[in-house]
Amino acid sequence: MSIVVTGATGHLGRHVVEQLLEKVPADRITAVVRTPEKAADFADRGVRVAVADYNAPETFQGLFSAGDKVLLISGNEFDKGRVGQHEGVLDAAKAAGVALFAYTSAPGSLKAALADDHRGTEEAILASGVPYVLLRNGWYNENYTEQLTPVLEHGAVVQAAGEGRVASAARADYAAAAVAVLTGEGHENKTYELSGDTAWGFAEYAAELSEQTGQEIAYNPVTVEALTGILTGVGLPEPVAAMLAGVDASIEKGELAVTTGDLSRLTGRPTTPIAESVAVALKG
Ligand SMILES: NC(=O)c1ccc[n+]([C@@H]2O[C@H](COP(=O)([O-])OP(=O)(O)OC[C@H]3O[C@@H](n4cnc5c(N)ncnc54)[C@H](OP(=O)(O)O)[C@@H]3O)[C@@H](O)[C@H]2O)c1
């Protein structure tokens, strides 16, 4: 019986494995990765490393054991059919008879196209009959704080979200919620709407950046079309740029401002304020 984490060498996955190591013996953790060299540090610490690729469902066959608790971290290959990728993992987990199948989904309130793969995956999970947990993760603070270079260069936060607000939290917070579910009891067939404790707007965010950098930084709201153009201009493929800019339209409508308290209840502590993630990012 193991706690199995896919996407373990990603940003969120690394936080999950690190936090699991604080709670359970290393040999009870399996990190599923597609590039084992990236997981050498985990292997050195006694974590079992398994190699599998969402694009090759057969690589997941035989990877799980009866009674395992699995965290499927959603993939990031938008053009590869993520629902099908995730179904490959789910089928193998079902065949093995896992005790729990947790999935990092998107907020139920989010109607942007980006959420479609998550809704499709949720439907497959529910139809499978496997004991599940839906971790409907809200936005990461780091979506913004890890993109500070152009902001500082131009003295402007450029978003297409109008006066919309975002209840974001740090990746480490969402990881802590996943760890609470994977190491705790009584989470079967629950759906958690995870978000930061408070929602903030981009004008406030720009003011926080100004305060912490000593540089005048303004919020420059633009249209979704203009933001799509900016993102394609820096090299993103048009469909991805449109999908990301579409999230801003959702933010303007309040779809990512919902605060349920589920995240801090699961972790037992307040979520990380955006100001704290800004400070971490500025320290570099
Ligand atoms: N809530 C939010 O604000 C937000 C923001 C961005 C993304 N997300 C979603 O949350 C997920 C986790 O976030 P993150 O920050 O950890 O993203 P990330 O750093 O991009 O991690 C994605 C993980 O998925 C793995 N992966 C991708 N394609 C794979 C494949 N074909 N086979 C096996 N593994 C594959 C990657 O493997 P490698 O380590 O080998 O690259 C990586 O470990 C993302 O993938 C995305 O679905 C959420």
Side-chain angles (χ1 to χ4, degrees), residues 68-217:
D68 281 354
K69 291 183 173 181
V70 179
L71 175 66
L72 168 58
I73 293 187
S74 48
N76 56 7
E77 297 173 314
F78 298 106
D79 57 338
K80 297 255 172 77
R82 287 193 299 170
V83 178
Q85 288 185 330
H86 298 158
E87 280 173 334
V89 184
L90 176 65
D91 290 348
K94 181 180 176 167
V98 303
L100 195 69
F101 190 87
Y103 171 66
T104 61
S105 192
S109 52
L110 181 63
K111 306 297 175 226
L114 188 69
D116 292 350
D117 288 344
H118 294 295
R119 297 288 93 83
T121 303
E122 288 189 358
E123 277 171 31
I125 292 170
L126 264 61
S128 74
V130 169
Y132 67 86
V133 182
L134 300 180
L135 297 164
R136 287 182 167 170
N137 287 350
W139 249 220
Y140 303 152
N141 289 347
E142 291 88 347
N143 292 344
Y144 305 103
T145 60
E146 287 177 354
Q147 306 296 331
L148 288 182
T149 307
V151 172
L152 300 181
E153 205 175 296
H154 299 292
V157 172
V158 180
Q159 298 284 156
E163 303 297 306
R165 302 176 79 74
V166 188
S168 64
R171 281 198 192 92
D173 299 326
Y174 295 105
V179 167
V181 160
L182 293 166
T183 59
E185 300 295 331
H187 299 291
E188 288 80 5
N189 304 335
K190 296 252 172 75
T191 296
Y192 294 108
E193 295 285 350
L194 305 174
S195 73
D197 294 335
T198 52
W200 49 268
F202 288 97
E204 276 168 61
Y205 176 58
E208 182 64 38
L209 288 172
S210 303
E211 169 88 24
Q212 291 200 31
T213 60
Q215 180 189 338
E216 192 55 43
I217 294 171

